[in-house]
PDB file of all heavy atoms in Angstrom:
ATOM      1  N   TRP A  46     -23.562 125.548 111.704  1.00  0.00           N
ATOM      2  CA  TRP A  46     -22.740 125.397 112.901  1.00  0.00           C
ATOM      3  C   TRP A  46     -23.496 124.622 113.982  1.00  0.00           C
ATOM      4  O   TRP A  46     -22.883 124.031 114.863  1.00  0.00           O
ATOM      5  CB  TRP A  46     -22.312 126.756 113.430  1.00  0.00           C
ATOM      6  CG  TRP A  46     -23.440 127.702 113.720  1.00  0.00           C
ATOM      7  CD1 TRP A  46     -23.928 128.669 112.902  1.00  0.00           C
ATOM      8  CD2 TRP A  46     -24.238 127.760 114.915  1.00  0.00           C
ATOM      9  NE1 TRP A  46     -24.974 129.334 113.499  1.00  0.00           N
ATOM     10  CE2 TRP A  46     -25.182 128.793 114.739  1.00  0.00           C
ATOM     11  CE3 TRP A  46     -24.237 127.039 116.113  1.00  0.00           C
ATOM     12  CZ2 TRP A  46     -26.125 129.121 115.712  1.00  0.00           C
ATOM     13  CZ3 TRP A  46     -25.167 127.358 117.088  1.00  0.00           C
ATOM     14  CH2 TRP A  46     -26.096 128.383 116.883  1.00  0.00           C
ATOM     15  N   ALA A  47     -24.825 124.635 113.900  1.00  0.00           N
ATOM     16  CA  ALA A  47     -25.619 123.917 114.892  1.00  0.00           C
ATOM     17  C   ALA A  47     -25.373 122.415 114.859  1.00  0.00           C
ATOM     18  O   ALA A  47     -25.591 121.724 115.857  1.00  0.00           O
ATOM     19  CB  ALA A  47     -27.103 124.202 114.679  1.00  0.00           C
ATOM     20  N   GLU A  48     -24.914 121.894 113.726  1.00  0.00           N
ATOM     21  CA  GLU A  48     -24.634 120.465 113.619  1.00  0.00           C
ATOM     22  C   GLU A  48     -23.464 120.026 114.493  1.00  0.00           C
ATOM     23  O   GLU A  48     -23.303 118.841 114.750  1.00  0.00           O
ATOM     24  CB  GLU A  48     -24.348 120.088 112.163  1.00  0.00           C
ATOM     25  CG  GLU A  48     -25.589 120.007 111.295  1.00  0.00           C
ATOM     26  CD  GLU A  48     -26.550 118.941 111.793  1.00  0.00           C
ATOM     27  OE1 GLU A  48     -26.185 117.756 111.756  1.00  0.00           O
ATOM     28  OE2 GLU A  48     -27.656 119.286 112.219  1.00  0.00           O
ATOM     29  N   ARG A  49     -22.668 120.973 114.952  1.00  0.00           N
ATOM     30  CA  ARG A  49     -21.526 120.632 115.810  1.00  0.00           C
ATOM     31  C   ARG A  49     -21.916 120.595 117.293  1.00  0.00           C
ATOM     32  O   ARG A  49     -21.092 120.272 118.141  1.00  0.00           O
ATOM     33  CB  ARG A  49     -20.395 121.637 115.589  1.00  0.00           C
ATOM     34  CG  ARG A  49     -19.802 121.597 114.189  1.00  0.00           C
ATOM     35  CD  ARG A  49     -18.501 122.376 114.113  1.00  0.00           C
ATOM     36  NE  ARG A  49     -18.715 123.805 114.221  1.00  0.00           N
ATOM     37  CZ  ARG A  49     -18.957 124.613 113.200  1.00  0.00           C
ATOM     38  NH1 ARG A  49     -19.024 124.113 111.969  1.00  0.00           N
ATOM     39  NH2 ARG A  49     -19.126 125.907 113.381  1.00  0.00           N
ATOM     40  N   LEU A  50     -23.164 120.945 117.582  1.00  0.00           N
ATOM     41  CA  LEU A  50     -23.646 120.925 118.958  1.00  0.00           C
ATOM     42  C   LEU A  50     -24.061 119.522 119.378  1.00  0.00           C
ATOM     43  O   LEU A  50     -24.312 118.665 118.528  1.00  0.00           O
ATOM     44  CB  LEU A  50     -24.830 121.887 119.096  1.00  0.00           C
ATOM     45  CG  LEU A  50     -24.550 123.360 118.821  1.00  0.00           C
ATOM     46  CD1 LEU A  50     -25.852 124.163 118.858  1.00  0.00           C
ATOM     47  CD2 LEU A  50     -23.545 123.922 119.822  1.00  0.00           C
ATOM     48  N   PRO A  51     -24.175 119.254 120.680  1.00  0.00           N
ATOM     49  CA  PRO A  51     -24.663 117.947 121.140  1.00  0.00           C
ATOM     50  C   PRO A  51     -26.048 117.656 120.567  1.00  0.00           C
ATOM     51  O   PRO A  51     -26.883 118.563 120.453  1.00  0.00           O
ATOM     52  CB  PRO A  51     -24.710 118.112 122.672  1.00  0.00           C
ATOM     53  CG  PRO A  51     -23.710 119.176 122.966  1.00  0.00           C
ATOM     54  CD  PRO A  51     -23.755 120.123 121.807  1.00  0.00           C
ATOM     55  N   PRO A  52     -26.322 116.411 120.186  1.00  0.00           N
ATOM     56  CA  PRO A  52     -27.596 116.056 119.547  1.00  0.00           C
ATOM     57  C   PRO A  52     -28.835 116.498 120.313  1.00  0.00           C
ATOM     58  O   PRO A  52     -29.823 116.901 119.709  1.00  0.00           O
ATOM     59  CB  PRO A  52     -27.521 114.531 119.446  1.00  0.00           C
ATOM     60  CG  PRO A  52     -26.062 114.230 119.395  1.00  0.00           C
ATOM     61  CD  PRO A  52     -25.413 115.255 120.278  1.00  0.00           C
ATOM     62  N   LYS A  53     -28.804 116.438 121.647  1.00  0.00           N
ATOM     63  CA  LYS A  53     -29.979 116.813 122.430  1.00  0.00           C
ATOM     64  C   LYS A  53     -30.249 118.316 122.401  1.00  0.00           C
ATOM     65  O   LYS A  53     -31.372 118.762 122.673  1.00  0.00           O
ATOM     66  CB  LYS A  53     -29.812 116.339 123.870  1.00  0.00           C
ATOM     67  CG  LYS A  53     -29.887 114.830 124.037  1.00  0.00           C
ATOM     68  CD  LYS A  53     -29.850 114.435 125.503  1.00  0.00           C
ATOM     69  CE  LYS A  53     -29.964 112.922 125.667  1.00  0.00           C
ATOM     70  NZ  LYS A  53     -29.931 112.512 127.100  1.00  0.00           N
ATOM     71  N   LEU A  54     -29.211 119.094 122.078  1.00  0.00           N
ATOM     72  CA  LEU A  54     -29.353 120.545 122.058  1.00  0.00           C
ATOM     73  C   LEU A  54     -29.829 121.059 120.701  1.00  0.00           C
ATOM     74  O   LEU A  54     -30.475 122.108 120.625  1.00  0.00           O
ATOM     75  CB  LEU A  54     -28.013 121.187 122.433  1.00  0.00           C
ATOM     76  CG  LEU A  54     -27.988 122.699 122.646  1.00  0.00           C
ATOM     77  CD1 LEU A  54     -28.942 123.095 123.770  1.00  0.00           C
ATOM     78  CD2 LEU A  54     -26.565 123.154 122.966  1.00  0.00           C
ATOM     79  N   ARG A  55     -29.520 120.304 119.643  1.00  0.00           N
ATOM     80  CA  ARG A  55     -29.803 120.786 118.285  1.00  0.00           C
ATOM     81  C   ARG A  55     -31.265 121.134 118.039  1.00  0.00           C
ATOM     82  O   ARG A  55     -31.555 122.171 117.433  1.00  0.00           O
ATOM     83  CB  ARG A  55     -29.352 119.743 117.259  1.00  0.00           C
ATOM     84  CG  ARG A  55     -27.866 119.606 117.135  1.00  0.00           C
ATOM     85  CD  ARG A  55     -27.521 118.512 116.159  1.00  0.00           C
ATOM     86  NE  ARG A  55     -26.221 117.930 116.450  1.00  0.00           N
ATOM     87  CZ  ARG A  55     -25.816 116.749 116.034  1.00  0.00           C
ATOM     88  NH1 ARG A  55     -26.645 115.986 115.322  1.00  0.00           N
ATOM     89  NH2 ARG A  55     -24.614 116.298 116.331  1.00  0.00           N
ATOM     90  N   PRO A  56     -32.228 120.301 118.462  1.00  0.00           N
ATOM     91  CA  PRO A  56     -33.631 120.649 118.173  1.00  0.00           C
ATOM     92  C   PRO A  56     -34.047 122.003 118.732  1.00  0.00           C
ATOM     93  O   PRO A  56     -34.833 122.718 118.117  1.00  0.00           O
ATOM     94  CB  PRO A  56     -34.417 119.506 118.832  1.00  0.00           C
ATOM     95  CG  PRO A  56     -33.462 118.365 118.901  1.00  0.00           C
ATOM     96  CD  PRO A  56     -32.127 118.991 119.138  1.00  0.00           C
ATOM     97  N   TYR A  57     -33.505 122.371 119.881  1.00  0.00           N
ATOM     98  CA  TYR A  57     -33.847 123.653 120.481  1.00  0.00           C
ATOM     99  C   TYR A  57     -33.242 124.807 119.681  1.00  0.00           C
ATOM    100  O   TYR A  57     -33.852 125.871 119.543  1.00  0.00           O
ATOM    101  CB  TYR A  57     -33.369 123.713 121.926  1.00  0.00           C
ATOM    102  CG  TYR A  57     -34.085 122.736 122.828  1.00  0.00           C
ATOM    103  CD1 TYR A  57     -33.527 121.498 123.158  1.00  0.00           C
ATOM    104  CD2 TYR A  57     -35.352 123.042 123.344  1.00  0.00           C
ATOM    105  CE1 TYR A  57     -34.194 120.597 123.971  1.00  0.00           C
ATOM    106  CE2 TYR A  57     -36.023 122.141 124.166  1.00  0.00           C
ATOM    107  CZ  TYR A  57     -35.441 120.918 124.464  1.00  0.00           C
ATOM    108  OH  TYR A  57     -36.118 120.024 125.267  1.00  0.00           O
ATOM    109  N   VAL A  58     -32.044 124.588 119.162  1.00  0.00           N
ATOM    110  CA  VAL A  58     -31.406 125.606 118.328  1.00  0.00           C
ATOM    111  C   VAL A  58     -32.205 125.797 117.041  1.00  0.00           C
ATOM    112  O   VAL A  58     -32.484 126.936 116.623  1.00  0.00           O
ATOM    113  CB  VAL A  58     -29.949 125.209 118.007  1.00  0.00           C
ATOM    114  CG1 VAL A  58     -29.347 126.150 116.964  1.00  0.00           C
ATOM    115  CG2 VAL A  58     -29.113 125.211 119.276  1.00  0.00           C
ATOM    116  N   TYR A  59     -32.607 124.694 116.408  1.00  0.00           N
ATOM    117  CA  TYR A  59     -33.394 124.801 115.178  1.00  0.00           C
ATOM    118  C   TYR A  59     -34.781 125.370 115.452  1.00  0.00           C
ATOM    119  O   TYR A  59     -35.354 126.051 114.594  1.00  0.00           O
ATOM    120  CB  TYR A  59     -33.500 123.434 114.506  1.00  0.00           C
ATOM    121  CG  TYR A  59     -32.214 122.985 113.864  1.00  0.00           C
ATOM    122  CD1 TYR A  59     -31.605 121.782 114.218  1.00  0.00           C
ATOM    123  CD2 TYR A  59     -31.589 123.775 112.905  1.00  0.00           C
ATOM    124  CE1 TYR A  59     -30.415 121.374 113.628  1.00  0.00           C
ATOM    125  CE2 TYR A  59     -30.407 123.382 112.316  1.00  0.00           C
ATOM    126  CZ  TYR A  59     -29.821 122.185 112.675  1.00  0.00           C
ATOM    127  OH  TYR A  59     -28.636 121.794 112.096  1.00  0.00           O
ATOM    128  N   LEU A  60     -35.317 125.122 116.629  1.00  0.00           N
ATOM    129  CA  LEU A  60     -36.619 125.664 116.984  1.00  0.00           C
ATOM    130  C   LEU A  60     -36.575 127.192 117.038  1.00  0.00           C
ATOM    131  O   LEU A  60     -37.515 127.863 116.599  1.00  0.00           O
ATOM    132  CB  LEU A  60     -37.058 125.105 118.341  1.00  0.00           C
ATOM    133  CG  LEU A  60     -38.452 125.513 118.848  1.00  0.00           C
ATOM    134  CD1 LEU A  60     -39.535 124.981 117.923  1.00  0.00           C
ATOM    135  CD2 LEU A  60     -38.666 124.998 120.265  1.00  0.00           C
ATOM    136  N   THR A  61     -35.484 127.755 117.541  1.00  0.00           N
ATOM    137  CA  THR A  61     -35.359 129.211 117.672  1.00  0.00           C
ATOM    138  C   THR A  61     -34.884 129.876 116.384  1.00  0.00           C
ATOM    139  O   THR A  61     -34.905 131.107 116.297  1.00  0.00           O
ATOM    140  CB  THR A  61     -34.355 129.571 118.775  1.00  0.00           C
ATOM    141  OG1 THR A  61     -33.055 129.080 118.418  1.00  0.00           O
ATOM    142  CG2 THR A  61     -34.763 128.975 120.110  1.00  0.00           C
ATOM    143  N   ARG A  62     -34.431 129.067 115.401  1.00  0.00           N
ATOM    144  CA  ARG A  62     -33.876 129.588 114.146  1.00  0.00           C
ATOM    145  C   ARG A  62     -32.662 130.496 114.399  1.00  0.00           C
ATOM    146  O   ARG A  62     -32.364 131.394 113.606  1.00  0.00           O
ATOM    147  CB  ARG A  62     -34.880 130.392 113.316  1.00  0.00           C
ATOM    148  CG  ARG A  62     -36.292 129.914 113.368  1.00  0.00           C
ATOM    149  CD  ARG A  62     -36.628 128.828 112.394  1.00  0.00           C
ATOM    150  NE  ARG A  62     -38.048 128.938 112.101  1.00  0.00           N
ATOM    151  CZ  ARG A  62     -39.023 128.429 112.877  1.00  0.00           C
ATOM    152  NH1 ARG A  62     -38.687 127.743 113.965  1.00  0.00           N
ATOM    153  NH2 ARG A  62     -40.291 128.588 112.554  1.00  0.00           N
ATOM    154  N   ILE A  63     -31.972 130.279 115.499  1.00  0.00           N
ATOM    155  CA  ILE A  63     -30.841 131.134 115.827  1.00  0.00           C
ATOM    156  C   ILE A  63     -29.711 130.979 114.812  1.00  0.00           C
ATOM    157  O   ILE A  63     -28.840 131.840 114.683  1.00  0.00           O
ATOM    158  CB  ILE A  63     -30.339 130.839 117.260  1.00  0.00           C
ATOM    159  CG1 ILE A  63     -29.485 131.988 117.778  1.00  0.00           C
ATOM    160  CG2 ILE A  63     -29.564 129.522 117.311  1.00  0.00           C
ATOM    161  CD1 ILE A  63     -29.112 131.854 119.233  1.00  0.00           C
ATOM    162  N   ASP A  64     -29.745 129.872 114.067  1.00  0.00           N
ATOM    163  CA  ASP A  64     -28.741 129.669 113.024  1.00  0.00           C
ATOM    164  C   ASP A  64     -29.073 130.462 111.753  1.00  0.00           C
ATOM    165  O   ASP A  64     -28.301 130.449 110.803  1.00  0.00           O
ATOM    166  CB  ASP A  64     -28.610 128.175 112.687  1.00  0.00           C
ATOM    167  CG  ASP A  64     -29.920 127.564 112.227  1.00  0.00           C
ATOM    168  OD1 ASP A  64     -30.980 127.945 112.760  1.00  0.00           O
ATOM    169  OD2 ASP A  64     -29.896 126.704 111.330  1.00  0.00           O
ATOM    170  N   LYS A  65     -30.224 131.149 111.747  1.00  0.00           N
ATOM    171  CA  LYS A  65     -30.617 132.010 110.626  1.00  0.00           C
ATOM    172  C   LYS A  65     -30.862 133.411 111.179  1.00  0.00           C
ATOM    173  O   LYS A  65     -31.991 133.787 111.499  1.00  0.00           O
ATOM    174  CB  LYS A  65     -31.869 131.464 109.943  1.00  0.00           C
ATOM    175  CG  LYS A  65     -31.652 130.097 109.310  1.00  0.00           C
ATOM    176  CD  LYS A  65     -32.942 129.551 108.712  1.00  0.00           C
ATOM    177  CE  LYS A  65     -32.717 128.165 108.100  1.00  0.00           C
ATOM    178  NZ  LYS A  65     -33.992 127.588 107.592  1.00  0.00           N
ATOM    179  N   PRO A  66     -29.823 134.221 111.311  1.00  0.00           N
ATOM    180  CA  PRO A  66     -29.923 135.499 112.039  1.00  0.00           C
ATOM    181  C   PRO A  66     -30.766 136.567 111.357  1.00  0.00           C
ATOM    182  O   PRO A  66     -31.084 137.578 111.984  1.00  0.00           O
ATOM    183  CB  PRO A  66     -28.463 135.942 112.158  1.00  0.00           C
ATOM    184  CG  PRO A  66     -27.765 135.274 111.015  1.00  0.00           C
ATOM    185  CD  PRO A  66     -28.446 133.946 110.852  1.00  0.00           C
ATOM    186  N   ILE A  67     -31.145 136.379 110.101  1.00  0.00           N
ATOM    187  CA  ILE A  67     -31.884 137.418 109.401  1.00  0.00           C
ATOM    188  C   ILE A  67     -33.177 137.768 110.139  1.00  0.00           C
ATOM    189  O   ILE A  67     -33.574 138.934 110.207  1.00  0.00           O
ATOM    190  CB  ILE A  67     -32.177 137.002 107.938  1.00  0.00           C
ATOM    191  CG1 ILE A  67     -32.932 138.118 107.195  1.00  0.00           C
ATOM    192  CG2 ILE A  67     -32.923 135.699 107.871  1.00  0.00           C
ATOM    193  CD1 ILE A  67     -32.211 139.438 107.117  1.00  0.00           C
ATOM    194  N   GLY A  68     -33.859 136.786 110.729  1.00  0.00           N
ATOM    195  CA  GLY A  68     -35.092 137.058 111.455  1.00  0.00           C
ATOM    196  C   GLY A  68     -34.867 137.968 112.649  1.00  0.00           C
ATOM    197  O   GLY A  68     -35.659 138.878 112.928  1.00  0.00           O
ATOM    198  N   THR A  69     -33.772 137.727 113.377  1.00  0.00           N
ATOM    199  CA  THR A  69     -33.433 138.578 114.520  1.00  0.00           C
ATOM    200  C   THR A  69     -33.133 139.997 114.062  1.00  0.00           C
ATOM    201  O   THR A  69     -33.555 140.977 114.691  1.00  0.00           O
ATOM    202  CB  THR A  69     -32.218 138.000 115.263  1.00  0.00           C
ATOM    203  OG1 THR A  69     -32.543 136.697 115.748  1.00  0.00           O
ATOM    204  CG2 THR A  69     -31.810 138.888 116.425  1.00  0.00           C
TER     205      THR A  69
END
Side-chain angles (χ1 to χ4, degrees):
W46 56 264
E48 284 299 295
R49 295 193 290 272
L50 298 174
K53 290 186 178 180
L54 188 60
R55 289 177 207 160
Y57 294 98
V58 171
Y59 287 123
L60 183 64
T61 63
R62 325 275 207 278
I63 198 172
D64 58 323
K65 297 177 181 176
I67 181 60
T69 299

